[in-house]
Amino acid sequence: MNQPITLQDNIGLRAPLLFAIAILLLFGLLYSLLGASLGRVLFPAQAQGSLIERDGTVVGSALVAQPFADPRYFQPRPSAANYDPMAAAGSNLARSNPALHERIAKTRLAIAERDGIATAQVPDDLVTQSGAGLDPHVSPMGARVQAARVARARGLDQAVVERLVDQAIEPKQLGVLGQPRVNVLRLNLALDAMAR
């Protein structure tokens, strides 16, 4: 037989409910506001998206890849999200999926033709998509194989473009994390700065 809820039972529920509300406000709201505020103070550029400006105009982010169609520019890794940060995603194709192998083979052939190199010289990072599909970096080799095409399209000596690639190489983070890499947008902006 069901017993009616008494005043004593209501008092027993009040403490857990107040505790839940306090925890929600403390960790759900105040902790988030504190973290966001500290981020803006300690890392203002990163908190704003690591935006890169040229002549007062935002041209992109150092954290998000963007496509470059002109042969005068270095190309980033392929993007499963079509370079849309709002649709960030990998291809979700397993390594054993024939569709993945077919796409990689087609991409490798297209890059080899575009850059005038053998398919075996195309680095893997230029034919594979990153986890989010928006990786702004390529490997140093991924940039070097594009140097001849970029130099030809810009009418520059290839050695000049290769030196620029070498100068753009970012080392491992903290000397141990990740691999050396080249930010494609920054490299392309450095190329444009040379033309000024």
Side-chain angles (χ1 to χ4, degrees):
M1 188 168 188
N2 291 339
Q3 298 280 337
I5 296 177
T6 64
L7 181 58
Q8 186 66 26
D9 293 331
N10 283 337
I11 292 172
L13 290 175
R14 186 175 355 159
L17 285 175
L18 289 175
F19 181 72
I21 291 170
I23 292 296
L24 179 65
L25 289 175
L26 180 66
F27 292 111
L29 180 64
L30 294 178
Y31 178 76
S32 300
L33 289 174
L34 179 66
S37 299
L38 279 174
R40 285 181 180 264
V41 170
L42 298 175
F43 307 102
Q46 292 88 336
Q48 296 299 317
S50 296
L51 301 177
I52 297 175
E53 291 186 17
R54 176 59 52 92
D55 299 327
T57 302
V58 174
V59 294
S61 168
L63 303 176
V64 180
Q66 61 189 53
F68 291 91
D70 192 321
R72 299 176 336 110
Y73 291 103
F74 287 87
Q75 306 296 315
R77 293 178 69 173
S79 172
N82 200 26
Y83 303 102
D84 180 0
M86 300 307 288
S91 69
N92 293 328
L93 296 177
R95 294 175 76 184
S96 59
N97 191 319
L100 177 64
H101 292 279
E102 183 179 325
R103 184 187 58 75
I104 287 174
K106 284 181 182 176
T107 304
R108 190 176 303 277
L109 184 61
I111 290 171
E113 289 176 4
R114 177 192 76 195
D115 291 323
I117 58 175
T119 56
Q121 292 178 297
V122 177
D124 289 341
D125 63 305
L126 292 184
V127 297
T128 56
Q129 301 158 339
S130 64
L134 299 170
D135 188 351
H137 299 96
V138 293
S139 67
M141 185 55 66
R144 285 186 185 112
V145 298
Q146 299 182 61
R149 169 185 47 84
V150 171
R152 257 191 325 273
R154 288 180 175 261
L156 295 171
D157 186 326
Q158 184 175 336
V160 170
V161 175
E162 288 174 348
R163 269 194 306 277
L164 197 61
V165 168
D166 290 339
Q167 293 168 359
I169 295 173
E170 300 172 12
K172 295 179 179 184
Q173 292 174 317
L174 304 175
V176 294
L177 300 175
Q179 296 297 318
R181 61 210 173 280
V182 175
N183 186 291
V184 176
L185 176 58
R186 285 190 173 134
L187 178 58
N188 285 332
L189 290 173
L191 275 167
D192 284 347
M194 284 177 56
R196 290 177 170 206

